Amino acid sequence: MPQHGNYLDDIDVEPLSVYVMHEKAERKFPMHSHHKGQLTFVEGGIAYCNFPDRSLVIPARHYIWIPSQMEHYMVIRHSRSTTTRNLYFYSQDDDSHPFYNKMGIYPVNDLLLNMITYSAKWKEHVLPGDAGFRFLASLKDILPDVSTAAIPIGLPTTRHERLLPVLQYLAAHFDQNLTLESVSSHFGISERTLSRLFTNILEMSFVQYLKMLRVVKGIEMMLQTNQNLSEIAYQTGYGSIAAFSKVFYQLTNKRPSVFLQGIH
């Protein structure tokens, strides 16, 4: 797929380099891919990474690893607090570990945070033999060791003509008491048909999708508002913080309170 924009054209010019770009500006690019593996760290605020089949939310103090050749585009919401740090790594050794060939979102520990921050010393291509290359190569080398638990906080997407309006409806009414019965009735289709649409197209049940949607919306509220967890639980359709916390833990393996501490 042809590349677009200024720095996107330049990333793959030097196949053996690490391309470094740190920015606060919001950029809008179409779906694209690189020959290099991409690490995008969200220092503050919130960002989204969209793929042909799903959309992922990247919270503050987390990074996403996007393997080479994987189509995607990033969306950064308007926020003074949102800064992304982007490192594009040579891919000729990616088969040395399964990590490099699998997309994932990971929390950043203090060691990795310091290394990513330190990489701001360089800009654009850093080639073998250049000052900083060995440091950046070491950063890539430690990723499989420090990134063992990917956080599955993303929503599948579709352009299916029958299911897309349903997903749009859920996104607009996620705080309400939604059930398979009520939603199927709203769209004038049977519960069995709606259930099959979710299972066959999104490969998850209606209930699983709704849980994921509410957790994603909860994370957005944690990052973009000053609401406490009780308020967020209520506004994501749960009657108590305990119910919200239970679902949040099921999907992220963290309690919301612990997750909130990690992003501030």
Side-chain angles (χ1 to χ4, degrees):
M1 176 174 290
Q3 303 297 322
H4 303 264
N6 296 321
Y7 85 90
L8 287 183
D9 292 329
D10 195 35
I11 290 171
D12 291 327
V13 168
E14 298 285 355
L16 300 181
S17 76
V18 179
Y19 190 92
V20 182
M21 187 193 67
H22 300 256
E23 66 175 3
K24 289 187 177 180
E26 178 180 16
R27 293 172 179 256
K28 294 182 179 179
F29 294 111
M31 193 77 73
H32 64 276
S33 63
H34 313 287
H35 294 301
K36 294 180 176 179
Q38 176 177 342
L39 182 158
T40 293
F41 171 60
V42 180
E43 191 169 65
I46 191 169
Y48 302 82
C49 193
N50 297 283
F51 300 90
D53 63 341
R54 59 191 141 172
S55 177
L56 303 179
V57 56
I58 313 170
R61 287 185 65 98
H62 287 70
Y63 80 89
I64 186 169
W65 174 261
I66 305 172
S68 65
Q69 308 294 347
M70 181 172 284
E71 293 187 351
H72 66 282
Y73 69 93
M74 301 289 297
V75 176
I76 300 172
R77 291 286 173 87
H78 289 286
S79 173
R80 292 181 179 179
S81 64
T82 301
T83 300
T84 62
R85 301 185 181 272
N86 304 278
L87 301 171
Y88 301 85
F89 291 95
Y90 48 86
S91 59
Q92 70 269 21
D93 65 344
D94 282 0
D95 289 336
S96 64
H97 196 284
F99 170 89
Y100 299 116
N101 294 302
K102 184 178 181 181
M103 185 273 297
I105 297 172
Y106 304 90
V108 170
N109 63 15
D110 290 340
L111 171 62
L112 189 55
L113 173 61
N114 290 334
M115 294 184 76
I116 292 173
T117 303
Y118 191 74
S119 71
K121 286 187 61 176
W122 300 283
K123 184 179 179 181
E124 299 181 350
H125 291 288
V126 182
L127 288 159
D130 290 347
F133 182 83
R134 291 179 65 184
F135 174 84
L136 295 170
S138 296
L139 194 161
K140 180 183 180 182
D141 289 345
I142 71 166
L143 291 179
D145 294 325
V146 300
S147 309
T148 57
I151 300 176
I153 41 180
L155 289 169
T157 59
T158 181
R159 295 181 180 178
H160 190 276
E161 61 181 11
R162 296 191 71 185
L163 191 54
L164 180 58
V166 177
L167 301 187
Q168 293 171 336
Y169 178 82
L170 295 180
H173 301 88
F174 65 90
D175 58 332
Q176 300 178 12
N177 182 26
L178 299 173
T179 64
L180 181 65
E181 180 183 7
S182 67
V183 175
S184 60
S185 176
H186 177 82
F187 284 93
I189 58 179
S190 71
E191 294 178 44
R192 184 176 183 181
T193 297
L194 183 59
S195 179
R196 284 182 171 177
L197 284 173
F198 274 89
T199 302
N200 294 339
I201 297 172
L202 300 185
E203 297 182 348
M204 64 172 56
S205 70
F206 170 87
V207 172
Q208 288 172 321
Y209 181 88
L210 185 58
K211 286 180 178 180
M212 184 68 76
L213 172 65
R214 286 171 167 169
V215 166
V216 167
K217 294 296 184 181
I219 290 172
E220 291 178 356
M221 292 178 195
M222 290 180 200
L223 289 161
Q224 298 176 329
T225 73
N226 294 319
Q227 297 177 96
N228 60 42
L229 290 178
S230 293
E231 292 170 325
I232 290 174
Y234 178 76
Q235 292 193 32
T236 51
Y238 292 97
S240 68
I241 190 172
F244 174 67
S245 181
K246 180 180 179 181
V247 172
F248 195 98
Y249 184 82
Q250 288 174 347
L251 297 180
T252 68
N253 205 33
K254 289 185 179 181
R255 295 296 178 189
S257 56
V258 174
F259 185 85
L260 192 58
Q261 291 172 5
I263 60 178
H264 290 300

Coordinates of all heavy atoms in Angstrom, one line a residue, residues 122-151:
W122 N 17.5 11.6 20.0 CA 17.7 11.4 18.6 C 16.5 11.7 17.8 O 15.4 11.8 18.3 CB 18.2 10.0 18.3 CG 19.5 9.6 19.0 CD1 20.7 10.0 18.7 CD2 19.6 8.9 20.3 NE1 21.6 9.6 19.6 CE2 21.0 8.9 20.6 CE3 18.7 8.3 21.1 CZ2 21.4 8.3 21.7 CZ3 19.1 7.7 22.3 CH2 20.5 7.7 22.6
K123 N 16.7 11.9 16.5 CA 15.6 12.3 15.6 C 15.7 11.6 14.3 O 16.8 11.6 13.7 CB 15.5 13.8 15.5 CG 14.3 14.3 14.7 CD 14.3 15.8 14.6 CE 13.1 16.3 13.8 NZ 13.1 17.8 13.7
E124 N 14.7 11.1 13.8 CA 14.6 10.4 12.5 C 15.6 9.3 12.4 O 15.7 8.5 13.4 CB 14.9 11.5 11.4 CG 13.8 12.6 11.4 CD 13.9 13.6 10.3 OE1 15.0 13.6 9.6 OE2 13.0 14.4 10.1
H125 N 16.3 9.0 11.3 CA 17.0 7.8 11.2 C 18.3 7.7 12.1 O 19.1 8.6 12.1 CB 17.5 7.6 9.7 CG 16.3 7.4 8.8 ND1 15.7 6.2 8.7 CD2 15.8 8.2 7.8 CE1 14.7 6.3 7.8 NE2 14.7 7.5 7.3
V126 N 18.4 6.6 12.8 CA 19.6 6.3 13.5 C 20.1 4.9 13.0 O 19.4 3.9 13.1 CB 19.3 6.2 15.0 CG1 20.6 5.9 15.8 CG2 18.7 7.4 15.6
L127 N 21.2 5.0 12.3 CA 21.8 3.8 11.6 C 22.8 3.1 12.4 O 23.4 3.6 13.3 CB 22.4 4.3 10.3 CG 21.4 4.8 9.2 CD1 22.1 5.7 8.2 CD2 20.8 3.6 8.5
P128 N 23.0 1.8 12.0 CA 24.1 1.0 12.7 C 25.4 1.8 12.5 O 25.8 2.3 11.5 CB 24.2 -0.3 11.9 CG 22.8 -0.4 11.3 CD 22.3 1.0 11.0
G129 N 26.1 2.0 13.6 CA 27.4 2.8 13.7 C 27.1 4.2 14.2 O 28.1 4.8 14.6
D130 N 25.9 4.7 14.1 CA 25.6 6.0 14.6 C 25.5 6.0 16.2 O 25.2 4.9 16.8 CB 24.2 6.5 14.1 CG 24.2 6.8 12.7 OD1 25.3 6.9 12.1 OD2 23.1 7.0 12.1
A131 N 25.8 7.1 16.8 CA 25.7 7.2 18.2 C 24.2 7.0 18.6 O 23.3 7.6 17.9 CB 26.1 8.6 18.7
G132 N 23.9 6.1 19.5 CA 22.6 5.9 19.9 C 22.0 4.6 19.3 O 21.0 4.1 19.8
F133 N 22.6 4.1 18.2 CA 22.0 2.9 17.6 C 22.0 1.7 18.6 O 21.0 1.0 18.7 CB 22.7 2.5 16.3 CG 22.0 1.3 15.6 CD1 20.9 1.5 14.8 CD2 22.5 0.0 15.8 CE1 20.3 0.4 14.2 CE2 21.9 -1.1 15.2 CZ 20.8 -0.9 14.4
R134 N 23.1 1.5 19.3 CA 23.2 0.3 20.2 C 22.2 0.5 21.3 O 21.6 -0.5 21.8 CB 24.6 0.2 20.7 CG 25.6 -0.3 19.6 CD 27.0 -0.4 20.2 NE 27.1 -1.5 21.2 CZ 28.2 -1.7 21.9 NH1 29.3 -1.0 21.7 NH2 28.2 -2.7 22.8
F135 N 22.0 1.7 21.8 CA 21.0 1.9 22.8 C 19.6 1.6 22.3 O 18.8 0.9 23.0 CB 21.0 3.4 23.3 CG 20.0 3.8 24.3 CD1 20.1 3.5 25.6 CD2 18.8 4.3 23.8 CE1 19.1 3.8 26.5 CE2 17.8 4.7 24.7 CZ 17.9 4.4 26.1
L136 N 19.2 2.1 21.2 CA 17.9 1.8 20.6 C 17.7 0.4 20.3 O 16.6 -0.2 20.5 CB 17.7 2.7 19.4 CG 17.7 4.2 19.6 CD1 17.7 5.0 18.3 CD2 16.4 4.6 20.4
A137 N 18.8 -0.3 19.8 CA 18.7 -1.7 19.5 C 18.4 -2.5 20.8 O 17.7 -3.5 20.9 CB 19.9 -2.2 18.9
S138 N 19.0 -2.1 21.9 CA 18.8 -2.7 23.2 C 17.4 -2.5 23.7 O 16.8 -3.4 24.3 CB 19.8 -2.1 24.3 OG 21.1 -2.4 23.9
L139 N 16.8 -1.4 23.4 CA 15.4 -1.1 23.8 C 14.5 -2.1 23.1 O 13.6 -2.7 23.7 CB 15.0 0.3 23.4 CG 13.8 0.9 23.9 CD1 13.8 2.4 23.8 CD2 12.5 0.4 23.2
K140 N 14.8 -2.3 21.8 CA 14.0 -3.3 21.0 C 14.2 -4.7 21.6 O 13.2 -5.5 21.8 CB 14.4 -3.3 19.6 CG 13.5 -4.4 18.8 CD 13.9 -4.5 17.3 CE 13.1 -5.5 16.6 NZ 13.4 -5.7 15.2
D141 N 15.4 -5.0 22.0 CA 15.8 -6.4 22.5 C 15.1 -6.7 23.8 O 14.7 -7.9 24.0 CB 17.3 -6.5 22.7 CG 18.0 -6.6 21.3 OD1 17.4 -6.8 20.3 OD2 19.3 -6.4 21.4
I142 N 14.8 -5.7 24.6 CA 14.2 -6.0 26.0 C 12.7 -6.1 25.9 O 12.1 -6.6 26.9 CB 14.6 -5.0 27.0 CG1 14.0 -3.7 26.8 CG2 16.2 -4.9 27.1 CD1 14.1 -2.7 28.0
L143 N 12.1 -5.7 24.8 CA 10.6 -5.7 24.7 C 10.0 -7.0 25.1 O 9.0 -7.0 25.9 CB 10.1 -5.2 23.4 CG 10.4 -3.7 23.1 CD1 9.9 -3.4 21.6 CD2 9.8 -2.8 24.1
P144 N 10.4 -8.1 24.5 CA 9.8 -9.4 24.9 C 9.9 -9.7 26.4 O 8.9 -10.4 26.9 CB 10.5 -10.4 24.1 CG 11.1 -9.7 22.9 CD 11.5 -8.3 23.5
D145 N 10.9 -9.3 27.0 CA 11.1 -9.6 28.5 C 10.3 -8.7 29.4 O 9.8 -9.2 30.4 CB 12.6 -9.5 28.9 CG 13.5 -10.5 28.1 OD1 13.0 -11.6 27.9 OD2 14.6 -10.1 27.8
V146 N 10.0 -7.5 29.0 CA 9.3 -6.5 29.9 C 7.9 -6.4 29.5 O 7.1 -5.7 30.2 CB 10.0 -5.1 29.9 CG1 11.4 -5.3 30.4 CG2 10.0 -4.5 28.6
S147 N 7.4 -7.1 28.4 CA 6.1 -6.9 27.9 C 5.4 -8.3 27.8 O 5.3 -8.8 26.7 CB 6.1 -6.2 26.5 OG 6.8 -5.0 26.6
T148 N 5.1 -8.8 28.9 CA 4.6 -10.2 28.9 C 3.0 -10.3 29.0 O 2.5 -11.4 28.8 CB 5.2 -11.0 30.1 OG1 4.9 -10.3 31.3 CG2 6.7 -11.1 29.9
A149 N 2.4 -9.2 29.4 CA 0.9 -9.2 29.6 C 0.2 -8.2 28.7 O 0.1 -7.0 29.2 CB 0.6 -9.1 31.0
A150 N -0.2 -8.5 27.5 CA -0.9 -7.6 26.7 C -2.3 -7.3 27.2 O -3.0 -8.2 27.8 CB -1.0 -8.1 25.2
I151 N -2.8 -6.1 27.1 CA -4.1 -5.7 27.6 C -5.1 -5.7 26.4 O -4.9 -4.9 25.5 CB -4.0 -4.3 28.3 CG1 -3.1 -4.4 29.4 CG2 -5.4 -3.9 28.7 CD1 -2.9 -3.0 30.1

